Amino acid sequence: QVQLVESGGASVQAGGSLRLSCVASGDTIGRYCMGWFRQTPDKEREGVAVIGCDDTTMYTNSVKGRCTISQDNTKMSVSLQLDNLRPEDTGIYYCAVREGYCYGRFAKNEYHAWGQGTQVTVS
């Protein structure tokens, strides 16, 4: 099993920045896609950004140009840098990992391990 622990959520003002981090422990996965999903009370959980073990990345349209996902392959950890934050970025951010490449899709049902979530509030 893989355990994921997120950190970095906070309350910030619009225009500010945050860096979310997620570290995996437990089983190692050779081929994986790892990244961030966001959930708000009025929406289903949606993909924000993911990165594959092959360093391919994918971002949802609303964060393109304001968001950078990166990883440390040796530790199976990912970070999400969010800049120029907007109120609509508010939500609980979950780290998740799936086996296999990202395949150009978020497909949250294909992710088998999830963190507990970290709250991001932008006002």
Side-chain angles (χ1 to χ4, degrees), residues 83-95:
D83 299 315
N84 192 20
L85 283 160
R86 305 168 180 170
E88 53 264 39
D89 295 320
T90 295
I92 301 175
Y93 284 68
Y94 294 91
C95 180

Side-chain angles (χ1 to χ4, degrees), residues 1-63:
Q1 289 186 342
V2 176
Q3 292 81 43
L4 302 174
V5 178
E6 306 107 330
S7 61
S11 295
V12 298
Q13 292 188 337
S17 297
L18 276 178
R19 188 174 182 85
L20 306 181
S21 296
C22 174
V23 179
S25 61
D27 293 344
T28 58
I29 303 174
R31 296 178 184 174
Y32 65 85
C33 179
M34 192 169 176
W36 296 89
F37 291 72
R38 174 176 64 205
Q39 187 159 22
T40 59
D42 59 342
K43 285 185 178 179
E44 291 188 4
R45 194 170 298 188
E46 61 178 356
V48 177
V50 293
I51 186 166
C53 56
D54 56 357
D55 288 329
T56 57
T57 59
M58 186 170 68
Y59 299 91
T60 192
N61 287 338
S62 66
V63 303

